Coordinates of all heavy atoms in Angstrom, one line a residue:
H49 N -14.4 -47.8 -109.5 CA -15.2 -46.7 -110.3 C -15.1 -47.1 -111.8 O -16.0 -46.5 -112.5 CB -14.6 -45.3 -109.9 CG -14.6 -45.1 -108.5 ND1 -15.8 -44.7 -107.9 CD2 -13.7 -45.1 -107.5 CE1 -15.7 -44.5 -106.6 NE2 -14.4 -44.8 -106.2
L50 N -14.2 -47.7 -112.2 CA -14.2 -48.2 -113.7 C -15.3 -49.1 -113.9 O -16.0 -49.1 -114.9 CB -12.9 -48.8 -114.0 CG -12.7 -49.3 -115.5 CD1 -12.7 -48.2 -116.5 CD2 -11.3 -50.0 -115.6
A51 N -15.5 -50.0 -112.9 CA -16.7 -51.0 -113.0 C -17.9 -50.5 -112.9 O -18.9 -50.9 -113.6 CB -16.4 -52.1 -111.7
L52 N -18.1 -49.2 -112.2 CA -19.4 -48.6 -112.1 C -19.6 -47.6 -113.2 O -20.7 -46.9 -113.1 CB -19.5 -48.0 -110.7 CG -19.5 -49.0 -109.5 CD1 -19.3 -48.3 -108.2 CD2 -20.8 -49.8 -109.5
G53 N -18.6 -47.4 -114.1 CA -18.8 -46.4 -115.1 C -18.5 -45.0 -114.8 O -18.9 -44.1 -115.5
E54 N -17.9 -44.8 -113.6 CA -17.6 -43.5 -113.1 C -16.3 -42.9 -113.5 O -15.9 -41.8 -113.4 CB -17.8 -43.4 -111.6 CG -19.1 -43.8 -111.1 CD -19.1 -44.1 -109.6 OE1 -18.0 -44.1 -108.9 OE2 -20.3 -44.2 -109.1
R55 N -15.4 -43.8 -114.1 CA -14.1 -43.5 -114.6 C -13.8 -44.2 -116.0 O -14.4 -45.3 -116.2 CB -13.0 -44.0 -113.7 CG -13.1 -43.3 -112.3 CD -12.6 -41.8 -112.4 NE -12.3 -41.3 -111.0 CZ -13.4 -40.7 -110.3 NH1 -14.6 -40.8 -110.7 NH2 -13.2 -40.3 -109.0
K56 N -12.9 -43.6 -116.8 CA -12.5 -44.3 -117.9 C -11.1 -44.9 -117.7 O -10.4 -44.3 -116.9 CB -12.5 -43.4 -119.2 CG -13.9 -42.8 -119.6 CD -14.8 -43.9 -120.0 CE -16.1 -43.3 -120.5 NZ -17.0 -44.4 -121.0
L57 N -10.8 -45.9 -118.4 CA -9.4 -46.6 -118.1 C -8.3 -45.6 -118.4 O -7.4 -45.5 -117.6 CB -9.3 -47.8 -119.1 CG -8.0 -48.5 -118.9 CD1 -7.7 -49.0 -117.6 CD2 -7.9 -49.6 -119.9
K58 N -8.3 -44.7 -119.4 CA -7.3 -43.8 -119.6 C -7.1 -42.8 -118.5 O -6.1 -42.3 -118.4 CB -7.4 -43.1 -121.0 CG -8.7 -42.1 -121.0 CD -8.7 -41.5 -122.4 CE -10.0 -40.6 -122.5 NZ -10.1 -39.9 -123.8
A59 N -8.1 -42.6 -117.7 CA -8.1 -41.7 -116.6 C -7.5 -42.2 -115.3 O -7.1 -41.5 -114.5 CB -9.5 -41.1 -116.2
I60 N -7.3 -43.6 -115.3 CA -6.8 -44.2 -114.0 C -5.5 -44.9 -114.3 O -5.0 -45.7 -113.5 CB -7.8 -45.2 -113.4 CG1 -8.0 -46.4 -114.3 CG2 -9.1 -44.4 -113.1 CD1 -8.9 -47.5 -113.7
Q61 N -4.8 -44.6 -115.5 CA -3.5 -45.1 -115.7 C -2.6 -44.1 -116.3 O -3.1 -43.1 -116.9 CB -3.5 -46.4 -116.5 CG -4.1 -46.2 -117.9 CD -4.1 -47.5 -118.6 OE1 -4.1 -48.6 -118.1 NE2 -4.2 -47.4 -119.9
R62 N -1.3 -44.2 -116.1 CA -0.3 -43.3 -116.6 C 0.8 -44.0 -117.3 O 1.3 -45.1 -116.7 CB 0.2 -42.4 -115.6 CG -0.9 -41.3 -115.0 CD -1.3 -40.3 -116.1 NE -2.2 -39.3 -115.5 CZ -3.6 -39.5 -115.6 NH1 -4.1 -40.5 -116.0 NH2 -4.3 -38.6 -115.0
P63 N 1.4 -43.6 -118.3 CA 2.6 -44.2 -118.9 C 3.8 -44.2 -118.1 O 4.2 -43.1 -117.6 CB 2.9 -43.5 -120.2 CG 2.2 -42.1 -120.1 CD 1.0 -42.4 -119.1
L64 N 4.4 -45.3 -117.9 CA 5.7 -45.4 -117.0 C 6.8 -44.7 -117.7 O 7.8 -44.4 -117.0 CB 5.9 -46.8 -116.7 CG 5.0 -47.5 -115.7 CD1 5.2 -49.0 -115.5 CD2 5.1 -46.8 -114.2
E65 N 6.8 -44.4 -118.9 CA 7.8 -43.8 -119.6 C 8.1 -42.3 -119.0 O 9.1 -41.8 -119.2 CB 7.5 -43.6 -121.1 CG 7.7 -44.8 -121.9 CD 9.2 -45.1 -122.2 OE1 10.0 -44.2 -122.1 OE2 9.5 -46.3 -122.5
R66 N 7.1 -41.8 -118.3 CA 7.3 -40.5 -117.7 C 8.3 -40.6 -116.7 O 8.8 -39.5 -116.2 CB 5.9 -40.1 -117.1 CG 4.8 -39.7 -118.1 CD 3.6 -39.2 -117.4 NE 2.5 -38.9 -118.4 CZ 1.4 -38.3 -118.0 NH1 1.2 -38.0 -116.7 NH2 0.5 -38.0 -118.9
L67 N 8.7 -41.6 -116.2 CA 9.7 -41.7 -115.1 C 11.0 -41.1 -115.7 O 11.9 -40.7 -114.9 CB 10.0 -43.2 -114.8 CG 8.9 -43.9 -113.9 CD1 9.1 -45.4 -113.9 CD2 8.9 -43.3 -112.5
R68 N 11.3 -41.3 -117.0 CA 12.6 -40.7 -117.6 C 12.7 -39.2 -117.3 O 13.8 -38.7 -117.3 CB 12.6 -41.0 -119.1 CG 12.5 -42.4 -119.4 CD 12.6 -42.8 -120.9 NE 12.3 -44.1 -121.2 CZ 13.2 -45.1 -121.1 NH1 14.5 -44.9 -120.6 NH2 12.8 -46.4 -121.5
K69 N 11.6 -38.4 -117.1 CA 11.6 -37.2 -116.8 C 12.2 -36.9 -115.4 O 12.5 -35.7 -115.1 CB 10.3 -36.4 -117.1 CG 9.8 -36.4 -118.4 CD 8.5 -35.8 -118.6 CE 8.0 -35.9 -120.0 NZ 6.6 -35.2 -120.3
Q70 N 12.1 -37.9 -114.6 CA 12.6 -37.8 -113.1 C 14.0 -38.5 -113.0 O 14.3 -39.0 -111.9 CB 11.6 -38.5 -112.3 CG 10.2 -37.9 -112.4 CD 9.2 -38.6 -111.5 OE1 9.5 -39.3 -110.6 NE2 7.9 -38.4 -111.8
N71 N 14.8 -38.5 -114.0 CA 16.1 -39.1 -114.0 C 16.1 -40.6 -113.5 O 17.0 -41.1 -112.9 CB 17.1 -38.4 -113.0 CG 17.4 -36.9 -113.4 OD1 17.6 -36.7 -114.6 ND2 17.3 -36.0 -112.5
T72 N 15.0 -41.2 -114.0 CA 14.8 -42.7 -113.6 C 14.6 -43.5 -115.0 O 13.8 -43.1 -115.8 CB 13.6 -42.9 -112.8 OG1 13.7 -42.2 -111.5 CG2 13.4 -44.4 -112.6
N73 N 15.5 -44.5 -115.2 CA 15.4 -45.3 -116.3 C 14.1 -46.2 -116.2 O 13.7 -46.7 -115.1 CB 16.6 -46.2 -116.5 CG 17.8 -45.4 -116.7 OD1 17.8 -44.4 -117.3 ND2 19.0 -46.0 -116.3
F74 N 13.4 -46.5 -117.4 CA 12.3 -47.3 -117.3 C 12.5 -48.5 -118.4 O 12.7 -48.1 -119.5 CB 10.9 -46.7 -117.6 CG 9.9 -47.6 -117.8 CD1 9.5 -48.5 -116.8 CD2 9.0 -47.6 -119.0 CE1 8.4 -49.5 -117.0 CE2 8.0 -48.5 -119.2 CZ 7.8 -49.4 -118.2
V75 N 12.4 -49.7 -118.0 CA 12.5 -50.8 -119.0 C 11.2 -51.5 -119.0 O 10.7 -52.0 -117.9 CB 13.6 -51.8 -118.4 CG1 13.7 -53.0 -119.4 CG2 14.9 -51.1 -118.4
N76 N 10.5 -51.4 -120.1 CA 9.2 -52.1 -120.3 C 9.5 -53.5 -120.9 O 9.6 -53.6 -122.0 CB 8.4 -51.2 -121.3 CG 7.1 -51.8 -121.6 OD1 6.5 -51.6 -122.5 ND2 6.6 -52.8 -120.7
S77 N 9.6 -54.5 -120.0 CA 9.9 -55.8 -120.4 C 9.6 -56.8 -119.2 O 9.6 -56.4 -118.1 CB 11.4 -56.0 -120.8 OG 11.6 -57.3 -121.3
E78 N 9.4 -58.0 -119.6 CA 9.0 -59.1 -118.6 C 10.3 -59.6 -118.0 O 11.2 -59.9 -118.7 CB 8.3 -60.2 -119.3 CG 7.8 -61.2 -118.2 CD 6.9 -62.3 -118.9 OE1 6.4 -62.1 -120.0 OE2 6.6 -63.3 -118.1
I79 N 10.4 -59.7 -116.7 CA 11.6 -60.2 -116.0 C 11.5 -61.8 -116.2 O 10.5 -62.4 -115.8 CB 11.5 -59.8 -114.6 CG1 11.7 -58.3 -114.5 CG2 12.7 -60.4 -113.8 CD1 11.4 -57.7 -113.1
T80 N 12.6 -62.3 -116.6 CA 12.7 -63.8 -116.8 C 13.5 -64.5 -115.7 O 13.3 -65.7 -115.4 CB 13.3 -64.1 -118.1 OG1 14.5 -63.6 -118.2 CG2 12.4 -63.6 -119.2
N81 N 14.4 -63.7 -115.1 CA 15.2 -64.3 -114.0 C 15.8 -63.3 -113.1 O 16.0 -62.2 -113.5 CB 16.3 -65.1 -114.6 CG 17.2 -65.8 -113.6 OD1 16.7 -66.7 -112.9 ND2 18.4 -65.5 -113.5
I82 N 15.9 -63.7 -111.8 CA 16.5 -62.8 -110.8 C 17.7 -63.7 -110.1 O 17.3 -64.6 -109.5 CB 15.5 -62.3 -109.7 CG1 14.3 -61.6 -110.4 CG2 16.2 -61.4 -108.8 CD1 13.2 -61.2 -109.4
D83 N 18.9 -63.2 -110.4 CA 20.0 -63.9 -109.6 C 20.2 -63.1 -108.3 O 20.7 -62.0 -108.4 CB 21.2 -63.8 -110.5 CG 22.4 -64.7 -110.0 OD1 22.6 -64.7 -108.7 OD2 23.1 -65.3 -110.8
V84 N 19.8 -63.7 -107.1 CA 19.9 -63.0 -105.9 C 21.3 -62.9 -105.3 O 21.4 -62.1 -104.5 CB 18.9 -63.8 -104.8 CG1 17.5 -63.7 -105.3 CG2 19.4 -65.3 -104.7
K85 N 22.2 -63.7 -105.8 CA 23.5 -63.6 -105.3 C 24.3 -62.6 -106.2 O 25.2 -61.8 -105.6 CB 24.3 -65.0 -105.3 CG 23.5 -66.0 -104.3 CD 24.3 -67.3 -104.3 CE 23.6 -68.2 -103.3 NZ 24.3 -69.5 -103.4

Side-chain angles (χ1 to χ4, degrees):
H49 299 284
L50 181 63
L52 294 166
E54 299 169 349
R55 297 286 189 279
K56 298 293 183 182
L57 180 57
K58 65 179 181 180
I60 66 170
Q61 64 181 17
R62 294 290 184 271
L64 288 168
E65 282 288 341
R66 291 186 179 182
L67 287 168
R68 299 185 189 279
K69 296 180 180 179
Q70 302 175 18
N71 296 319
T72 300
N73 297 328
F74 171 58
V75 177
N76 179 205
S77 185
E78 185 173 350
I79 297 168
T80 57
N81 182 65
I82 304 169
D83 188 324
V84 295
K85 293 182 179 179

